[in-house]
Amino acid sequence: MKHYYDNRAPEYDDWYRGIGRFARRDRPGWDEDLQGLQDDVAALAPARTLDVACGTGFLTRHLRGEITALDQSERMLEVAAERVPGAELVSGDALSLPFDDDSFDRLFTGHFYGHLQDPDREAFITEAHRVASELVIVDSARRPDHEPEEWQERVLNDGSRYEVYKRFFEPDGLAHELGGGTVLHASRWFVMVSSRSRQG
Ligand SMILES: C[S@@+](CC[C@H](N)C(=O)[O-])C[C@H]1O[C@@H](n2cnc3c(N)ncnc32)[C@H](O)[C@@H]1O
């Protein structure tokens, strides 16, 4: 995965912007839903926030407060550094966060949780609640043209191919999975859920 995301960093935002390899995808309502998601991220109350797996910082830039952004890909962090100059950028592993307990008010993560299989999924949730009291997850919404979980072949501009595990979420289902939570965004393309504790 590290190799894939390092290689994808310069072209990652093409997915958001609907350009390059994504120009011909039929994505009705994408721009409106993406704007709505960004508005809802910006509406989160200012807080000491850790953005885990921040990627290029496309969503990080909308977070308010004291922002720390972590990713394992140096090339992703290079793009994020330009986009979010006010954030502290950290190279590290989401499953073993280099921070003390309760270092943050909120752990935010976009389009990362849905790539995790057990036991990494459990390990991440445990790590998230160790370092922050609130966990906010943004991910892809369940859609009729995808299975709830699947292996996808991803092709980069240089023709390299990767197999990627990916889940798609119903907002209430994600909230339930997190042991209870609040749905902060639900659209055709995206979900955002906040969870304060894990009760089972
Ligand atoms: C699909 S991108 C999401 C980027 C961004 N959060 C967003 O919503 O657009 C997934 C990101 O997770 C990072 N990543 C994957 N595994 C990681 C890990 N174990 N620790 C930290 N970052 C990781 C990748 O480098 C990549 O930047």
Side-chain angles (χ1 to χ4, degrees):
M1 273 306 90
K2 190 167 187 317
H3 190 246
Y4 167 62
Y5 282 113
D6 259 342
N7 280 354
R8 193 178 166 196
E11 63 195 80
Y12 180 80
D13 291 349
D14 291 1
W15 173 65
Y16 278 124
R17 299 193 189 288
I19 59 175
R21 303 187 78 86
F22 298 88
R24 278 199 256 161
R25 289 220 182 159
D26 183 26
R27 302 195 295 191
W30 174 269
D31 290 343
E32 294 78 6
D33 285 3
L34 181 56
Q35 187 57 56
L37 173 65
Q38 292 177 99
D39 291 346
D40 287 338
V41 171
L44 293 168
R48 284 179 309 155
T49 302
L50 173 64
D51 182 358
V52 171
C54 64
T56 60
F58 193 91
L59 295 179
T60 320
R61 62 186 162 158
H62 299 294
L63 293 166
R64 295 180 298 147
E66 200 179 301
I67 309 302
T68 304
L70 175 142
D71 204 284
Q72 70 173 9
S73 161
E74 297 296 341
R75 292 185 76 192
M76 286 287 190
L77 287 172
E78 282 169 20
V79 181
E82 286 193 16
R83 178 171 272 150
V84 199
E88 182 182 344
L89 299 183
V90 177
S91 175
D93 181 4
L95 306 185
S96 180
L97 293 169
F99 303 105
D100 292 337
D101 295 0
D102 302 315
S103 293
F104 301 94
D105 303 314
R106 174 184 298 130
L107 188 148
F108 177 93
T109 189
H111 302 104
F112 171 67
Y113 181 72
H115 290 302
L116 298 175
Q117 299 176 85
D118 271 335
D120 288 353
R121 192 184 296 158
E122 286 293 324
F124 172 66
I125 296 287
T126 301
E127 269 300 80
H129 285 307
R130 181 182 68 76
V131 303
S133 49
E134 182 188 14
L135 167 62
V136 174
I137 292 180
V138 169
D139 223 306
S140 300
R142 181 79 208 279
R143 312 202 293 271
D145 55 336
H146 287 278
E147 295 299 321
E149 61 176 333
E150 60 190 28
W151 284 91
Q152 301 181 333
E153 184 182 60
R154 302 280 181 91
V155 185
L156 298 185
N157 289 345
D158 65 2
S160 58
R161 291 169 186 271
Y162 301 83
E163 293 291 318
V164 174
Y165 174 79
K166 168 92 176 156
R167 296 172 71 202
F168 296 84
F169 297 93
E170 300 280 3
D172 290 340
L174 178 56
H176 180 74
E177 179 173 320
L178 298 174
T182 306
V183 175
L184 301 176
H185 177 93
S187 60
R188 183 196 291 221
W189 293 99
F190 307 105
V191 299
M192 178 163 72
V193 169
S194 163
S195 162
R196 287 207 166 264
S197 64
R198 186 119 198 272
Q199 287 136 18

